Amino acid sequence: APAVFTEAEFYQQNFNPQEYLKEYYSMSSSPEWAREFMMQNLRTLHKMFSLDGVRGDILIDVGCGPTIYQLLSACEHFQEIIALDYTEQNRRELEKWLKREPGAFDWEPVVKYVCELEGDREKWAEKQEKVRKKVKRVLKCDVTKANPTGPVSLPAGDCIVSTLCLEGACKDLPAFRSALRNISTLLKPGGHLVMVTVLGETYYAFNKQVYSCLLLEKHEVQEAVLAAGFELKFFEAQPYTVDDDVTDIKGVIGLVAQKCPSA
Ligand code: SAH
């Protein structure tokens, strides 16, 4: 494990989006465990975005990274998507795919898998276009700031999706708790938070670099979400381990929480 917390600036200096995508999101070149992990998360996202009430106008993706898998089930239920991430090269990589630029990552196998989950594998091209059309803005954010998108102010979202971001961005539990409060300011009262977070992990590595991860227990995540003014609607923890020293992950959580109407 890294001796120090790898903060947002470390991501900005070191994170290589193409290597990240190759390591974790490629149906052809990622290791078996990474593909399994992704498919499990896709199934959980599919389930969570099928829940009643998880819909509306604006969806905000917090810590989107260079990926779109987290938007594939989501895009069916929202009109407009705003994607946020700290790291410039990740936002750029995402835009490359959105604009069909040469060298963009090939998400096709992943899109097909999600379409299959939704009952019609043939809809994959249509879904890709839907995502491309609905993502209207890709902007910088910092979840450790009280106003994560400052100085830009966004329209309040009906939903936030955030996958595998906060546990990397927060150095300790108090920081995790305040990041949840920070991102909750992006949400309308009554809006939903859809989150995928790893459990029991202290580091992950790819491209010969090690990133720190906040070691989280199930009950800590649960309590932090409640303390940030949410009510839990869905909470599913699954064990997950990898027989390799690239990470010490123990499990993964999918959760849906609703921002209290008075919060
Ligand atoms: N959501 C993607 C990417 C996860 S990688 C996925 O599911 O694969 C973690 C992401 O968090 C990186 O893109 C990194 O740039 C971003 N990040 C790290 N610190 C952050 C911060 N303080 N604020 C916002 N994003 C941050």
Side-chain angles (χ1 to χ4, degrees), residues 11 13 15-16 30 39 50 61 78 86 95 99 118 135 137 141 167 183 201 216 219 221 227 242 245:
Y11 279 82
Q13 295 305 319
F15 197 95
N16 182 320
S30 297
M39 290 191 284
S50 304
D61 184 357
F78 297 91
Y86 187 86
E95 277 176 341
K99 296 177 181 155
E118 294 176 357
V135 179
R137 303 166 83 181
C141 86
E167 63 274 46
I183 67 172
E201 178 179 291
L216 289 167
H219 70 95
V221 176
V242 175
D245 58 12

Side-chain angles (χ1 to χ4, degrees), residues 53 157-158 187-192 257-263:
D158 298 281
L187 207 51
K188 288 178 192 165
H192 290 87
Q258 186 174 20
K259 182 171 171 175
C260 298
S262 57

Side-chain angles (χ1 to χ4, degrees), residues 182-203:
N182 297 341
I183 67 172
S184 132
T185 64
L186 302 172
L187 207 51
K188 288 178 192 165
H192 290 87
L193 169 68
V194 176
M195 204 159 88
V196 173
T197 301
V198 296
L199 293 175
E201 178 179 291
T202 64
Y203 75 94

Side-chain angles (χ1 to χ4, degrees), residues 115-132:
C115 287
E116 210 169 276
L117 289 177
E118 294 176 357
D120 189 356
R121 190 175 165 93
E122 301 312 311
K123 287 225 154 103
W124 66 271
E126 203 177 297
K127 190 186 277 292
Q128 283 200 161
E129 287 328 291
K130 219 174 256 178
V131 174
R132 288 193 168 110

Side-chain angles (χ1 to χ4, degrees), residues 13-31:
Q13 295 305 319
N14 298 282
F15 197 95
N16 182 320
Q18 295 181 4
E19 294 295 333
Y20 178 73
L21 292 168
K22 212 160 69 186
E23 179 70 18
Y24 295 105
Y25 296 106
S26 164
M27 290 284 196
S28 54
S29 67
S30 297

